[in-house]
Amino acid sequence: MAEPTDSRAAILDAAERCFADQGFQATTIKRIAGAAGVNTALLYYYFSDKQGLYHSVLERAFGGLVAEGLRGLEGGLDAPEAVRRFVRAQASYMRAHPALPRLLVRELVDHRAAHATAGISHVAATLFARLCEVIRVGQADGTFRRDLDPRLAAISIVSQVAYWHIARPAVGILLGFDAAGPAPEVSDQFAQHAAAFALAALSSDRRSSDRPPLRSEVAR
Amino acid sequence: MAEPTDSRAAILDAAERCFADQGFQATTIKRIAGAAGVNTALLYYYFSDKQGLYHSVLERAFGGLVAEGLRGLEGGLDAPEAVRRFVRAQASYMRAHPALPRLLVRELVDHRAAHATAGISHVAATLFARLCEVIRVGQADGTFRRDLDPRLAAISIVSQVAYWHIARPAVGILLGFDAAGPAPEVSDQFAQHAAAFALAALSSDRRSSDRPPLRSEVAR
DNA sequence: GTCTATACGGGGATAGAC
DNA sequence: GTCTATCCCCGTATAGAC
């Protein structure tokens, strides 16, 4: 930001916020320039056009996601612990990068992920594959039940935290909060719940879930 | 459609498709008119303006959702069976109305559900409340474990099928399908899996899940 | 109720000075 | 590298004829 001539980064940052907040169409070049504190024409110096800028934003976002995600997944191979760590990493990443979920969802519905196939394929080959592998390991050593398809189970696991963040306004209403939506603590609480829910679904016997029962009441 | 002077319905139908496909901003009045087979100016005869039309589309969509959703939920109070029925109803509704998930997601990210608070509150008071109640009943009679918050569990249940449809293009890539995404049969398969996953998470003992183990391999 | 014609504004993009 | 000025298209919305 303070770098000389790093207007480019400033533009990318501003564009990411704007695209996430309002979507591709609704975001105007002029607004991005304003938010970045630079001139409209400068966007065309650094990027081919609006689409090119958008594409660059997506690439950068996905790169960070995979890098940080993989870091959160390193460590032992104990299956239940790995699942718990995965959910925690997913939740903390979304909390740290609130723009990302909206950005990705928009890309999904706006272009059927056409501008993001490369990034998603990368995620599929790294993060998602890793999660599936963990589930298979758990099934092989008997801690996880074997009558669930590992890949569908992986989607079930991912969906909980993802949906929570995508549908935050609706979730707020469902849980009886006001328009402000659930507070960050509630998101943390849900992440804990999601991990427990997933492990309960996966476990092959009830004993393996002999953890401190977290009866987490959501405050109204 | 064949009704005389029911251009109004034709406009609403076309608008629903367009808004779902491209979003509010990207959808042009002219395109809606074209898709409805009427003139541009006619939209302003029936609706105040673009926003008014959008609002009417949302209202109609939510009305149908609640009506049909409640119908699918009637019947016995056996908790596990009710959960299964809920997931099945959710999946079949989304399959029958493919535009709805995208429409709602767009409203969530575009306006933080501002235009849909009434509809969502209605869903919260009917469908969601019903699902929570079912879970509580199951916990009370001992078939469901008691260390899960019923409302968070309800969100976990809903999230699976919802996410599947929202993220369909990404899911397609994750599961190794081509750009076309998963076929409808795979969606049905996932709905079955989601119900089994949810019941496994909820059940207080393993015996209660002595159903035909559906080892559903997803074809590549 | 339905159409034609048009005004009006705003957004993407470029030329060219500095 | 960064800015000023400007062009042109297209989308919303209205007036008014039929």
Side-chain angles (χ1 to χ4, degrees), chain A residues 21-183:
Chain A
D21 285 348
Q22 322 181 307
F24 180 78
Q25 277 271 352
T27 299
T28 72
I29 290 286
K30 301 181 183 182
R31 189 173 200 80
I32 296 176
V38 302
N39 191 274
T40 311
L42 199 59
L43 302 203
Y44 292 92
Y45 176 76
Y46 285 114
F47 305 93
S48 58
D49 57 357
K50 198 182 169 186
Q51 285 232 19
L53 171 55
Y54 177 66
H55 204 269
S56 301
V57 166
L58 281 186
E59 274 186 352
R60 198 183 59 160
F62 264 108
L65 181 148
V66 172
E68 200 162 322
L70 282 178
R71 227 177 302 139
L73 248 61
E74 290 162 1
L77 277 160
D78 174 52
E81 186 52 36
V83 168
R84 210 171 288 124
R85 198 158 50 218
F86 185 91
V87 174
R88 203 182 302 135
Q90 185 190 7
S92 80
Y93 188 79
M94 291 201 171
R95 177 164 180 171
H97 305 266
L100 204 86
R102 275 170 300 155
L103 201 62
L104 297 186
V105 168
R106 299 197 112 107
E107 172 58 19
L108 282 171
V109 292
D110 281 347
H111 314 107
R112 300 176 162 256
H115 299 268
T117 41
I120 296 177
S121 296
H122 191 196
V123 169
T126 54
L127 299 180
F128 188 73
R130 178 71 195 274
L131 178 58
C132 291
E133 191 50 35
V134 163
I135 295 173
R136 285 200 195 87
V137 167
Q139 289 181 326
D141 69 19
T143 52
F144 288 166
R145 56 191 297 169
R146 299 202 171 90
D147 62 344
L148 290 174
D149 182 307
R151 295 151 81 217
L152 298 188
I155 291 177
S156 290
I157 294 171
V158 172
S159 70
Q160 296 182 76
V161 173
Y163 179 80
W164 174 273
H165 281 90
I166 294 168
R168 180 183 291 262
V171 162
I173 298 176
L174 291 181
L175 294 183
F177 294 101
D178 52 4

Side-chain angles (χ1 to χ4, degrees), chain B residues 6-205:
Chain B
D6 255 65
S7 314
R8 192 175 193 277
I11 293 172
L12 275 175
D13 290 341
E16 180 172 311
R17 281 195 303 273
C18 290
F19 284 140
D21 285 347
Q22 321 181 308
F24 180 79
Q25 277 271 351
T27 299
T28 72
I29 291 286
K30 300 182 184 181
R31 191 174 201 79
I32 297 175
V38 300
N39 191 274
T40 310
L42 200 58
L43 303 203
Y44 293 92
Y45 175 76
Y46 285 113
F47 305 93
S48 57
D49 56 358
K50 199 182 167 187
Q51 285 231 19
L53 172 55
Y54 177 65
H55 205 269
S56 300
V57 167
L58 281 186
E59 273 186 351
R60 198 184 59 159
F62 264 108
L65 182 147
V66 172
E68 200 161 322
L70 282 177
R71 226 176 304 140
L73 247 61
E74 290 163 0
L77 277 160
D78 174 52
E81 186 50 38
V83 168
R84 209 172 289 125
R85 198 159 49 218
F86 185 91
V87 174
R88 201 182 303 134
Q90 185 191 7
S92 80
Y93 188 79
M94 290 201 171
R95 178 162 181 175
H97 306 266
L100 203 86
R102 276 170 299 155
L103 200 62
L104 296 187
V105 167
R106 297 200 114 106
E107 172 58 19
L108 280 172
V109 291
D110 281 346
H111 314 107
R112 299 176 163 258
H115 298 268
T117 41
I120 296 178
S121 296
H122 191 196
V123 170
T126 54
L127 299 180
F128 188 74
R130 178 70 196 273
L131 179 58
C132 290
E133 190 51 34
V134 163
I135 296 173
R136 285 200 195 88
V137 167
Q139 289 180 326
D141 70 20
T143 52
F144 288 167
R145 56 192 296 168
R146 299 200 171 91
D147 62 343
L148 291 173
D149 182 306
R151 292 151 82 217
L152 297 187
I155 290 177
S156 290
I157 294 172
V158 172
S159 70
Q160 296 182 77
V161 173
Y163 179 81
W164 174 273
H165 282 90
I166 294 168
R168 179 184 291 264
V171 162
I173 298 177
L174 291 181
L175 293 184
F177 294 102
D178 52 4
E185 310 92 65
V186 184
S187 293
D188 291 344
Q189 195 180 338
F190 181 78
Q192 281 199 321
H193 155 87
F197 192 88
L199 285 175
L202 289 167
S203 297
S204 59
D205 67 348

